Amino acid sequence: MSELTLESLRRKNFAPEEFIKSQKAADSLKDKDKSNDISNIPNYNQLTCGMKLADKMQEIRDKIGKPISITNGFRSPKLNEAVGGSKT
């Protein structure tokens, strides 16, 4: 198994941080109660899927020739629950 890191999500027009950014997760890290911390770091399998997403996003970006803003590329289960996302 080769090592994957967040850097594996980098593409010509997309930074890895764009796929995992979350204001809710960032806000949780500012809370003094550390039990409320929300990690939004994908595991190996999630990174593998994320790389496919990143490839498709870059393909679309290349075809339309205009910027694309990623609003939600990955949500950890804890973050998804915190924002009221669907379990499926």
Side-chain angles (χ1 to χ4, degrees):
M1 206 165 18
S2 65
E3 178 153 352
L4 293 181
T5 65
L6 282 178
E7 193 58 31
S8 304
L9 299 175
R10 184 172 301 282
R11 297 298 181 270
K12 180 174 71 176
N13 296 106
F14 298 102
E17 297 78 21
E18 292 179 85
F19 291 96
I20 64 164
K21 69 182 174 192
S22 164
Q23 191 60 51
K24 181 79 170 177
D27 289 346
S28 80
L29 299 175
K30 296 175 189 170
D31 192 329
K32 289 182 177 157
D33 181 357
K34 293 303 173 193
S35 68
N36 292 330
D37 283 3
I38 300 172
S39 172
N40 199 42
I41 305 299
N43 64 29
Y44 183 90
N45 289 334
Q46 293 160 337
L47 276 171
T48 301
C49 291
M51 289 171 59
K52 292 175 186 175
L53 171 64
D55 288 341
K56 280 292 183 192
M57 294 293 293
Q58 187 60 56
E59 182 182 323
I60 292 167
R61 168 69 171 81
D62 291 343
K63 280 186 180 180
I64 65 172
K66 295 181 181 181
I68 297 173
S69 296
I70 299 172
T71 57
N72 203 152
F74 171 76
R75 281 187 193 162
S76 68
K78 190 171 180 179
L79 175 59
N80 192 54
E81 182 180 344
V83 299
S86 170
K87 290 184 181 188
T88 59

